Amino acid sequence: MPQAVAGPEIERLIQLLARMPGLGPRSARRAALQLIKKRDTLLGPLADAMRVAAERIVVCHACGNVDTSDPCTICRDAARDPSTLVVVEDVSDLWALERSGAVQARYHVLGGVLSALDGVRPEHLNIASLVERASDPAVKEIILALNATVDGQTTAHYVTESIRRLDLKVTRLAHGVPVGGELDYLDEGTLMAAIRSRTAF
Amino acid sequence: MPQAVAGPEIERLIQLLARMPGLGPRSARRAALQLIKKRDTLLGPLADAMRVAAERIVVCHACGNVDTSDPCTICRDAARDPSTLVVVEDVSDLWALERSGAVQARYHVLGGVLSALDGVRPEHLNIASLVERASDPAVKEIILALNATVDGQTTAHYVTESIRRLDLKVTRLAHGVPVGGELDYLDEGTLMAAIRSRTAF
């Protein structure tokens, strides 16, 4: 811990800021100072927004999304395609897909991926609730939008096995060259997948 | 502005987080999600710490430091050498010097440096109050601990001129090789200064 150079209130703010992702001890000090300088325009409003978030945000019992209502806004949205469930690892992935606007369906947040190394087993993830939701006759397709990592793919296989008896269409995201990506910077696996799944031009 | 994918409370939190130094729109989203996941251990306490800081932190009228008391803890500290004033650009520099423990004196925060480009003129900085403090007969030395940039050095010259009639000892930080630094990575100016100010071994 660095030597305390400011009052205890400022030190506490710095220490808490340093625990935020993306901020270390040094950048936390800089952030604290900036916040103090922008007391009325940033520090006060941010304190209020955090207080509101801490008090009002809940986890959707259906899909695992975070929102101020349960079921969440997406689960309550009648315009969503009820026949498709998009399985994601984390809420951040849900947000990423929503930003893209690529799919107008509902989600299921697993809350992680299976990992022998980290001791994450199926019972630690929201897989049982996924099987239950997928058993709804309205559901026809499960899109596995999991990260293209070893753990992500292991999890995809496990989920597929778990819902095999439901006889649903199970799909995964396509592999290929990212839009705007340069071939020179891509790994062999991606290039291999992009060639293998080439499409007519 | 990215498309809103979460409720308005979360979006507002993300937008405010994105205005913090060191966080962009993408890392603000990640930070918001981490904060929500650590609601009780981080989000709540951070909201409280920010609220306390927003309400209690004041700028020391004497030196320009930020603290919960005015005069600040350093200005009230009777153990500090009253004969020396350390002139710094910003509170962050004051904190850096305090962390180093290099000097047990009081500070004077200019609140910036002169800059023709940014339109920062002497009247925008706490120079008049420095001249006033330096006029105290107890003060014998002014240490100019300003950044070794063009603007920092311009400001150092201006400050020196402003207090010349007081006939004080005016010093500046030494230039040289940073402790732990590798010569190969240093610029020519620093190496030149280090050679010129070489000391007996």
Side-chain angles (χ1 to χ4, degrees):
Chain A
M1 207 172 73
Q3 195 199 335
V5 296
E9 294 84 0
I10 300 179
E11 282 301 322
R12 176 155 174 79
L13 178 60
I14 293 172
Q15 279 170 29
L16 287 168
L17 284 172
R19 288 174 49 202
M20 281 179 57
L23 290 182
R26 186 174 291 264
S27 47
R29 273 195 298 271
R30 208 167 46 226
L33 203 55
Q34 286 294 323
L35 286 170
I36 291 167
K37 284 180 182 173
K38 298 179 186 166
R39 180 205 308 233
D40 296 328
T41 57
L42 187 54
L43 181 55
L46 192 52
D48 295 339
M50 285 185 172
R51 174 49 51 208
V52 168
E55 281 167 8
R56 297 196 42 201
I57 286 172
V58 289
V59 174
C60 175
H61 77 278
C63 75
N65 188 15
V66 292
D67 202 341
T68 44
S69 62
D70 178 18
C72 74
T73 314
I74 293 174
C75 282
R76 281 187 291 114
D77 183 356
R80 301 265 165 170
D81 174 8
S83 71
T84 305
L85 283 181
V86 184
V87 177
V88 293
E89 175 181 337
D90 198 81
V91 175
S92 57
D93 303 323
L94 185 162
W95 287 359
L97 286 168
E98 281 294 294
R99 278 198 303 281
S100 77
V103 62
Q104 283 288 313
R106 298 208 174 80
Y107 296 87
H108 193 86
V109 180
L110 291 181
V113 283
L114 298 175
S115 166
L117 209 63
D118 297 332
V120 180
R121 297 162 52 80
E123 58 267 32
H124 299 132
L125 304 179
N126 302 324
I127 292 178
S129 56
L130 171 62
V131 175
E132 198 185 311
R133 287 181 81 193
S135 305
D136 184 326
V139 175
K140 306 293 180 205
E141 177 175 359
I142 304 288
I143 301 178
L144 299 171
L146 298 168
N147 291 330
T149 57
V150 172
D151 286 347
Q153 295 311 301
T154 306
T155 309
H157 282 293
Y158 186 89
V159 168
T160 308
E161 280 308 310
S162 305
I163 55 176
R164 182 176 296 282
R165 63 174 174 80
L166 299 174
D167 200 26
L168 298 166
K169 186 175 170 192
V170 179
T171 55
R172 65 160 175 79
L173 299 185
H175 287 310
V177 180
V179 175
E182 296 183 44
L183 298 195
D184 198 18
Y185 290 94
L186 288 173
D187 63 294
E188 289 76 13
T190 302
L191 288 174
M192 192 86 81
I195 290 281
R196 213 184 293 128
S197 308
R198 66 193 177 277
T199 54
F201 186 69
Chain B
M1 206 174 75
Q3 195 201 337
V5 296
E9 294 85 358
I10 300 179
E11 281 302 322
R12 177 156 173 78
L13 178 61
I14 292 172
Q15 278 170 30
L16 286 167
L17 285 172
R19 288 174 49 201
M20 282 179 57
L23 290 182
R26 186 173 292 263
S27 48
R29 272 195 298 271
R30 208 167 46 226
L33 204 56
Q34 286 294 321
L35 286 170
I36 290 167
K37 284 180 182 174
K38 298 179 185 166
R39 179 205 310 233
D40 296 329
T41 58
L42 187 52
L43 181 55
L46 192 51
D48 295 339
M50 285 184 171
R51 175 50 50 208
V52 168
E55 280 167 8
R56 299 194 42 200
I57 287 173
V58 289
V59 174
C60 175
H61 78 278
C63 74
N65 188 15
V66 291
D67 202 343
T68 43
S69 62
D70 177 18
C72 73
T73 315
I74 293 174
C75 282
R76 282 186 291 112
D77 182 357
R80 302 266 164 167
D81 173 9
S83 72
T84 306
L85 282 182
V86 184
V87 177
V88 293
E89 173 180 341
D90 197 81
V91 175
S92 57
D93 302 323
L94 184 161
W95 287 359
L97 286 168
E98 280 294 294
R99 279 198 303 280
S100 76
V103 63
Q104 284 288 312
R106 297 208 174 80
Y107 296 87
H108 194 85
V109 180
L110 291 181
V113 282
L114 298 176
S115 166
L117 209 63
D118 297 331
V120 181
R121 297 163 51 80
E123 59 266 32
H124 299 132
L125 304 179
N126 302 324
I127 292 177
S129 56
L130 172 63
V131 174
E132 198 185 311
R133 288 180 79 193
S135 305
D136 184 329
V139 176
K140 305 294 179 203
E141 177 176 358
I142 304 289
I143 302 178
L144 298 171
L146 298 168
N147 291 329
T149 56
V150 171
D151 285 347
Q153 295 312 300
T154 305
T155 309
H157 282 292
Y158 187 90
V159 168
T160 308
E161 280 308 309
S162 303
I163 56 176
R164 181 176 297 281
R165 63 173 175 83
L166 298 174
D167 201 27
L168 298 166
K169 185 175 169 193
V170 179
T171 56
R172 65 159 175 80
L173 299 186
H175 286 310
V177 180
V179 175
E182 296 183 44
L183 298 195
D184 197 18
Y185 290 94
L186 287 174
D187 63 294
E188 290 74 14
T190 303
L191 288 173
M192 191 87 80
I195 289 282
R196 213 183 294 126
S197 309
R198 66 193 178 277
T199 54
F201 187 69

